[in-house]
Amino acid sequence: MSDFGVPEPANLSDLSGPSDGATPVAETSVRLALPAEANAIGEIQVAAWRVAYAGLLPAEVLADLNPAQFAAQWRAALLAPGEARNRVLVALAGRTLVGFAAITPSDDPDADPQRDALVAELAVKPEATRNGHGSRLLNAVVDTVRADGFGRVTVWVNSTDDVLRAFYTEAGWAPDSAHRELDLYGDESVRIKQIRLHADPSPM
């Protein structure tokens, strides 16, 4: 996993406050990730992977995914971001973290890391999908890469994941003809084909 940094808060929306005078809480929001949220991020990533890779990876492999291991990596990345344009965004429903996105300069062989950003992860809790959290995250991703001076943003998706591909294409992303195969175990026993999508973060 790459190291990721944290951006400025972005895309707060639907602000509503309680009637008892307490601090208002946004019904839905996207903001910077905090190191203390690493556990929640790890749990969301494992839950999302178990859905995304069902039928592609053996059930026992998915069952053995350990949220604590993912969380430790995210915590280390958030505490020591490294590259200035590494970013982690989180989506919230009220005060509950329901999704996250990680952005980094692209390390694809044909990419220019000064110009090309990569969405390394974008995941929403399976039970919280279809509530607009993914779209809010994606909008915040585009806003963030634009502010960071990137001219293009890309993401890899499994070639068989029609739902995820439609999520991006309906938001204006398009295939750029690049493709790859992941050899998950290094012995060619499990290979997953992926295609790359891209978007121009320039304002319309």
Side-chain angles (χ1 to χ4, degrees):
M1 179 185 298
S2 300
D3 289 339
F4 299 100
V6 292
E8 294 301 315
N11 285 13
L12 294 178
S13 62
D14 300 332
L15 190 66
S16 67
S19 59
D20 59 2
T23 302
V25 176
E27 291 181 1
T28 58
S29 60
V30 177
R31 61 158 173 78
L32 62 101
L34 304 174
E37 294 168 325
N39 286 345
I41 292 172
E43 290 171 0
I44 290 171
Q45 186 171 13
V46 166
W49 278 25
R50 284 175 175 159
V51 172
Y53 289 95
L56 297 174
L57 293 177
E60 60 271 19
V61 172
L62 294 175
D64 285 343
L65 292 176
N66 187 345
Q69 292 179 343
F70 285 83
Q73 292 177 303
W74 286 113
R75 187 175 299 106
L78 288 166
L79 288 170
E83 155 71 48
R85 295 186 296 175
N86 291 335
R87 309 292 192 186
V88 180
L89 301 166
V90 290
L92 296 100
R95 292 188 173 90
T96 301
L97 199 155
V98 294
F100 76 97
I103 316 162
T104 184
S106 178
D107 60 357
D108 288 342
D110 62 344
D112 175 356
Q114 296 302 313
R115 176 182 181 273
D116 298 323
L118 175 71
V119 180
E121 286 287 341
L122 191 153
V124 175
K125 277 185 178 180
E127 63 269 28
T129 58
R130 302 191 181 280
N131 289 304
H133 301 301
S135 295
R136 279 183 283 274
L137 274 171
L138 193 58
N139 288 337
V141 163
V142 173
D143 289 344
T144 300
V145 299
R146 181 189 305 124
D148 277 340
F150 289 107
R152 189 174 76 132
V153 56
T154 62
V155 65
W156 289 98
V157 300
N158 294 341
S159 62
T160 56
D161 194 336
D162 294 336
V163 173
L164 184 59
R165 182 172 180 172
F167 166 73
Y168 282 102
T169 57
E170 289 171 5
W173 296 54
D176 66 0
S177 78
H179 57 87
R180 68 184 183 184
E181 284 195 21
L182 301 182
D183 183 1
L184 296 185
Y185 297 115
D187 59 5
E188 300 192 357
S189 62
V190 179
R191 301 183 69 87
I192 294 179
K193 294 181 179 181
Q194 295 188 319
I195 61 170
R196 192 172 66 189
L197 307 178
H198 73 103
D200 180 352
S202 301
M204 300 298 292

